[in-house]
Amino acid sequence: MKQQLIAGNWKMNGSLAANEALVHGIAQGLQAALSGKQAHVAVCAPAAYLSQVQQLTHSSGIDLGAQDLSAHEQGAYTGEISAAMLKDFAVRYAIVGHSERRHYHAESDELVATKAQRALSAGITPIVCVGETLAEREAGKTEEVVKRQLAAVIHANGHCISEIVVAYEPVWAIGTGKTATPQQAQAVHAVLRAQLQAATPHADRVQILYGGSMNATNAAQLLSQPDIDGGLIGGAALKPADFLTIIAAAAR
Ligand code: 13P
């Protein structure tokens, strides 16, 4: 059975002291949460703290992730962080195309696809986020939107597409406490799986995560859906006990 991936997206939260307490809390409870079973676990820290969190997570069973990366390889791009720089800190995952970046930084589908490409060519697994807004859902456009977003990444990445992780994050469920029902989430995951199947014979090994108000209470039901292979967790990833409960629900 495919292992699930539980990734925390800390967003713009944390401090040296808070990160230390958070990672220690997760690391201390990890073996008990897994209770002899397995799941991939990662934390996506703010770029400023990657060095610190690399040290904190070393040999802990927790992988390190970044929240974004540059679409450029190197050069005169003030403020940007390249895939190669992330690799220097043993970053295994990089979130690309989070809805907050699409919205606040006007990131296009094509830019997101290029970022995924940069990550893959540096040996970093991109966690490609897709998801519809409330207006798009209400207009019956959910499928069209998520397929368009994923299509750009498939187009740019060809046969490497089986190396990505996808995260379905309905925008209306992020930070709102309004989770998609397991049925709503599964329906979109099945659409994404079918789209991947048309692009690669290895679509079944692509982990498709759900994100959007996943928490200690609703995780088990969401994670039991056939096409939900893990979670991308915001708020609940900042609380060790809640994050560990979600990990326990994902362990197989
Ligand atoms: P919340 O879990 O806080 O809703 O955030 C989800 C998210 O955006 C993860 O990337």
Side-chain angles (χ1 to χ4, degrees):
M1 186 184 286
K2 179 167 45 185
Q3 267 188 46
Q4 300 228 339
L5 166 62
I6 298 300
N9 174 8
W10 293 357
K11 308 193 180 185
M12 199 172 70
N13 294 291
S15 64
L16 289 173
N19 301 342
E20 190 171 337
L22 179 52
V23 174
H24 280 160
I26 299 166
Q28 274 166 14
L30 188 59
Q31 290 318 316
L34 291 171
S35 72
K37 294 176 279 178
Q38 293 191 320
H40 294 293
V41 176
V43 293
C44 301
Y49 295 121
L50 287 174
S51 173
Q52 181 208 13
V53 180
Q54 179 192 15
Q55 289 168 39
L56 289 172
T57 52
H58 184 73
S59 298
S60 67
I62 304 167
D63 285 318
L64 182 58
Q67 298 177 12
D68 184 34
L69 81 168
S70 177
H72 302 285
E73 197 171 347
Q74 61 165 43
Y77 301 101
T78 302
E80 294 274 276
I81 296 170
S82 72
M85 293 172 186
L86 297 181
K87 201 64 192 166
D88 269 347
F89 295 95
V91 163
R92 173 156 181 194
Y93 299 99
I95 297 171
V96 298
H98 192 281
S99 62
E100 287 149 16
R101 294 210 60 88
R102 291 180 191 263
H103 181 70
Y104 297 120
H105 301 272
E107 292 198 1
S108 67
D109 296 339
E110 289 67 33
L111 182 79
V112 172
T114 306
K115 289 185 172 191
Q117 214 171 10
R118 285 278 174 230
L120 284 168
S121 50
I124 293 169
T125 301
I127 301 177
V128 177
C129 299
V130 300
E132 82 288 1
T133 62
L134 184 59
E136 288 163 341
R137 173 162 283 263
E138 286 174 346
K141 292 194 167 151
T142 299
E143 247 189 65
E144 178 189 324
V145 169
V146 298
K147 283 171 87 171
R148 189 201 71 222
Q149 291 171 332
L150 183 57
V153 178
I154 291 173
H155 179 72
N157 291 281
H159 66 275
C160 294
I161 204 66
S162 61
E163 307 300 319
I164 71 169
V165 170
V166 177
Y168 169 54
E169 298 208 310
V171 178
W172 48 271
I174 295 177
T176 58
K178 281 187 209 150
T179 324
T181 64
Q183 294 72 26
Q184 281 174 323
Q186 166 57 28
V188 178
H189 281 234
V191 166
L192 296 170
R193 181 83 63 202
Q195 191 178 4
L196 289 165
Q197 269 156 354
T200 167
H202 307 298
D204 286 346
R205 72 173 188 226
V206 176
Q207 288 163 314
I208 308 181
L209 316 182
Y210 170 79
S213 299
M214 189 186 271
N215 59 38
T217 309
N218 61 28
Q221 255 207 317
L222 285 158
L223 295 171
S224 67
Q225 299 300 307
D227 288 299
I228 301 187
D229 309 311
L232 185 56
I233 325 292
L238 300 173
K239 301 176 200 142
D242 290 15
F243 196 57
L244 288 165
T245 303
I246 297 170
I247 292 166
R252 299 282 185 274

